[in-house]
Amino acid sequence: MPTLEKLNAILKEQKRDDQEIALVRHAYDFADTIHHGVPRVSGVPYIEHPLAVAIRLALMHMPPRVVVAGLLHDTVEDTTRPQEEVRAELRKQFGDDIADMVDRVTKLRFTKNANAWIRIEGVDRYIENLRKMFIAFANDLRVIIIKFADRIENLKDLEVLPHEKKLRVALETLELYAPIANRLGMGQIRVELEDGAFRHALPNEYAQVSELIGDKYKHREGYLERIAATVNTRLSEAGIKSIISLQARTKHYYSVYKKLLRYDWDINRIWDIFALRIIAEDIPNCYAALGVIHSIWKPVKGRIKDYISQPKPNGYRSIHTTVFCDDGEFVEFQIRTKEMHEEAEYGVTAHWRYDEKKGTTPVPSKHIDWVQELVSIHKEIQDNKSFLEHLEHMKIDIFKDRIFVHTPKGDVIELPENATAVDFAYAIHSDLGNTCVGAVVNEKNVPLDTPLHSGDVVKVLVDKKRKGPSSDWLKFVKTRHAREKIKEGAKSPLLDFLKLMVPKGRKK
Ligand code: MN
């Protein structure tokens, strides 16, 4: 059971000062009072949930004010008091920074039904847009991390939820939360999210996977220990400073499950369920260790992956190799430095640990498009020396000029700020743009030039008989796509006329 004493013990161990601990205490009392009389679906007193979230955040070495926001994260919605009253009270007692975090966590509840996931055509694009929308709404790395901690805790209550809601939470976790955690390089959190959702969403499959892994582990444990001992001796003979450990991926059931689906449920075809991990002192020692392993056993072709010289898009660094090991078995080795290891486990949050230990900073790695932006934020945080400065630089402004609006079916369309229903219509289809005559935004009729806002549900009214777009729309549309289509459409009567003028038979 999560307790305030436990939270305090963690904070004291991290040498937080009295003022910080007092603030946490104050937040606890505030939340306890606010949630009073609100039941949790699982039946436990409500305060246990925010407390568990706060403990998680503290264990992740989050700064105390993030822990405070974690304690307060549900106070606006899960109370019998009016929302506005609680909002004002939060701002007065805890200041703008903490109140803003709580506000954003509250706003990040935007996917409504699981049906949308299934009904929408081009579901990949839809999900990608949802991910962008998630980042845009959060707008602050700390908010995303609070949301992750909240979600991991909520997954524990999944069992008692009605089927429809359970499905939505599981899908959202697997398709939205976990991939974002992955892109932020937070491997540990990703595993907790995925396995937490998997266990409850597909309990039978989860049981099957865990049984298969369990059997396999019993079979291989002794074997891998012997191999580890051999490697240890050979590495120290070669003068390589390293620690070797057996990393049994017994907890990452979801990724094993996805592989099993591809391999007809034949667990023997998955080689990397258990890997031996070597933590070497530095990069040259990583390559030296690889050399030693390959001198003992032959590597499997195509299975040597050097993510140190070429990191994965999410920044993951390590060398992987699978070898033909003793007694005809395959064994995967993962070789990395301590810094790489921490980064792989904790991703963007790893810097908080470094900040405390004053250790070396990991080298920033290469990412792609908006993921690239996340990384530059990550780097910016790492490059800043003062702790307070970090907090100022947590803002994620990648989508600051963008808005995300919904179609009536729940699809998400990304548009520039101040875009209108006409931009929206053209973003979906030219025909929709060309025939639009009006718009319904959040169930209210509005003129076509009304600027849209993030979260709006937009329906376009059409008149099939409409000849084409109006050049007046050029005065207010914001997207280049709409502008081009309007110009094209507006001049089409002239084109038709010109076509008539071209003498027949000259087509060739
Ligand atoms: Mn919560």
Side-chain angles (χ1 to χ4, degrees):
M1 198 183 74
T3 60
L4 183 62
E5 289 69 44
K6 192 169 167 191
L7 178 58
N8 274 335
I10 299 163
L11 296 172
K12 285 206 178 105
E13 201 189 298
Q14 291 171 357
K15 309 221 172 357
R16 305 298 186 189
D17 61 41
D18 292 347
Q19 217 182 334
E20 290 169 322
I21 291 175
L23 185 67
V24 168
R25 167 88 223 198
H26 178 46
Y28 173 86
D29 291 336
F30 184 90
D32 196 21
T33 312
I34 289 280
H35 293 309
H36 192 78
V38 180
R40 225 19 229 169
V41 273
S42 56
V44 302
Y46 201 100
I47 190 66
E48 284 190 21
H49 164 67
L51 193 53
V53 170
I55 289 174
R56 241 169 217 291
L57 292 166
L59 288 172
M60 288 165 75
H61 296 245
M62 291 291 116
R65 60 166 79 194
V66 180
V67 175
V68 166
L71 277 168
L72 301 170
H73 83 273
D74 276 334
T75 53
V76 175
E77 291 215 311
D78 297 307
T79 178
T80 51
R81 307 232 328 243
Q83 292 201 1
E84 279 322 303
E85 199 183 297
V86 179
R87 279 209 175 88
E89 202 58 37
L90 278 172
R91 217 156 274 276
K92 208 172 104 198
Q93 296 198 26
F94 297 94
D96 286 338
D97 187 42
I98 288 169
D100 284 344
M101 278 192 266
V102 174
D103 259 353
R104 297 220 169 247
V105 172
T106 309
K107 266 193 225 146
L108 266 176
R109 297 181 179 180
F110 57 79
T111 72
K112 286 177 192 73
N113 55 48
N115 285 334
W117 299 79
I118 299 147
R119 255 191 293 146
I120 286 162
E121 284 172 55
V123 72
D124 288 348
R125 184 190 57 89
Y126 167 62
I127 292 169
E128 183 68 4
N129 278 345
L130 273 184
R131 289 174 190 151
K132 288 186 192 173
M133 195 169 164
F134 185 89
I135 304 279
F137 272 46
N139 191 40
D140 183 330
L141 194 52
R142 298 171 302 173
V143 171
I144 295 177
I145 292 164
I146 296 169
K147 205 66 193 168
F148 284 162
D150 180 32
R151 178 48 59 98
I152 292 169
E153 286 302 321
N154 283 337
L155 287 173
K156 292 180 183 166
D157 293 340
L158 209 55
E159 218 157 359
V160 293
L161 293 183
H163 179 74
E164 166 78 10
K165 197 168 177 207
K166 195 195 283 187
L167 184 66
R168 177 184 67 78
V169 174
L171 276 171
E172 212 181 72
T173 306
L174 296 175
E175 298 291 356
L176 196 60
Y177 286 64
I180 290 171
N182 185 36
R183 285 174 189 193
L184 289 164
M186 300 160 75
Q188 183 54 37
I189 287 188
R190 176 192 159 200
V191 169
E192 288 191 67
L193 287 167
E194 286 187 339
D195 284 350
F198 177 41
R199 176 198 294 263
H200 296 292
L202 299 166
N204 296 335
E205 287 81 352
Y206 182 87
Q208 266 175 287
V209 172
S210 87
E211 202 184 302
L212 281 171
I213 292 177
D215 288 350
K216 183 96 181 151
Y217 187 70
K218 251 181 265 158
H219 171 71
R220 288 205 85 183
E221 195 183 9
Y223 173 80
L224 287 169
E225 273 167 7
R226 284 199 302 280
I227 301 296
T230 308
V231 174
N232 242 342
T233 316
R234 297 290 288 269
L235 287 176
S236 60
E237 277 169 14
I240 296 165
K241 285 192 188 126
S242 61
I243 315 155
I244 183 159
S245 66
L246 167 60
Q247 177 236 358
R249 289 171 47 172
T250 47
K251 279 214 171 126
H252 203 181
Y253 292 1
Y254 186 66
S255 75
V256 173
Y257 166 68
K258 282 198 294 188
K259 282 192 182 170
L260 283 169
L261 289 183
R262 271 184 302 182
Y263 296 138
D264 300 322
W265 285 86
D266 180 0
I267 196 144
N268 294 319
R269 288 171 66 190
I270 307 174
W271 300 338
D272 56 357
I273 295 179
F274 311 109
L276 288 172
R277 178 179 293 148
I278 296 169
I279 309 288
E281 199 173 60
D282 51 19
I283 292 174
N285 273 304
C286 288
Y287 289 101
L290 180 73
V292 169
I293 288 161
H294 286 177
S295 74
I296 316 174
W297 300 287
K298 232 177 136 110
V300 177
K301 215 177 151 207
R303 297 281 305 180
I304 308 169
K305 286 167 193 155
D306 183 357
Y307 300 121
I308 290 182
S309 65
Q310 283 176 313
K312 281 193 185 181
N314 70 357
Y316 177 81
R317 292 182 301 155
S318 246
I319 301 168
H320 292 190
T321 184
T322 304
V323 298
F324 296 98
C325 210
D326 296 351
D327 310 322
E329 299 231 12
F330 296 106
V331 173
E332 182 179 278
F333 287 91
Q334 298 177 351
I335 310 163
R336 54 176 79 154
T337 64
K338 182 121 197 305
E339 285 83 353
M340 291 172 195
H341 179 60
E342 296 223 334
E343 237 204 343
E345 297 283 294
Y346 308 112
V348 290
T349 67
H351 79 276
W352 275 294
R353 293 162 191 273
Y354 289 109
D355 198 75
E356 283 162 19
K357 289 190 235 148
K358 299 277 172 261
T360 47
T361 332
V363 182
S365 41
K366 249 178 69 189
H367 282 234
I368 39 169
D369 40 84
W370 66 275
V371 178
Q372 176 87 48
E373 293 283 336
L374 289 182
V375 172
S376 66
I377 292 159
H378 181 186
K379 182 182 176 319
E380 200 177 324
I381 296 163
Q382 289 171 345
D383 291 347
N384 275 301
K385 294 288 173 280
S386 123
F387 193 63
L388 272 177
E389 255 176 6
H390 292 172
L391 295 178
E392 302 310 315
H393 285 276
M394 300 299 289
K395 288 277 171 282
I396 303 178
D397 282 339
I398 308 171
F399 303 115
K400 71 166 181 244
D401 307 322
R402 312 294 294 173
I403 58 166
F404 296 86
V405 296
H406 293 285
T407 67
K409 277 187 185 172
D411 200 354
V412 182
I413 306 292
E414 182 188 348
L415 292 167
E417 227 169 24
N418 296 319
T420 63
V422 175
D423 295 289
F424 173 83
Y426 278 108
I428 294 171
H429 200 280
S430 311
D431 288 345
L432 194 63
N434 288 337
T435 56
C436 73
V437 288
V440 180
V441 176
N442 304 330
E443 301 181 337
K444 257 188 8 219
N445 278 293
V446 298
L448 282 174
D449 62 351
T450 311
L452 302 174
H453 302 283
S454 261
D456 283 350
V457 178
V458 183
K459 189 179 169 207
V460 176
L461 302 174
V462 296
D463 177 359
K464 291 270 188 256
K465 279 183 281 183
R466 195 189 165 103
K467 288 278 180 326
S470 156
S471 50
D472 285 348
W473 295 350
L474 292 170
K475 289 180 197 142
F476 59 76
V477 292
K478 290 286 174 292
T479 54
R480 198 169 58 153
H481 178 68
R483 192 171 299 278
E484 278 168 6
K485 289 288 169 190
I486 293 165
K487 283 185 186 158
E488 209 175 279
K491 74 186 173 196
S492 69
L494 180 64
L495 274 180
D496 289 345
F497 176 71
L498 285 173
K499 271 182 214 151
L500 285 175
M501 300 301 289
V502 177
K504 285 192 173 119
R506 280 186 58 184
K507 270 186 184 164
K508 290 168 196 172

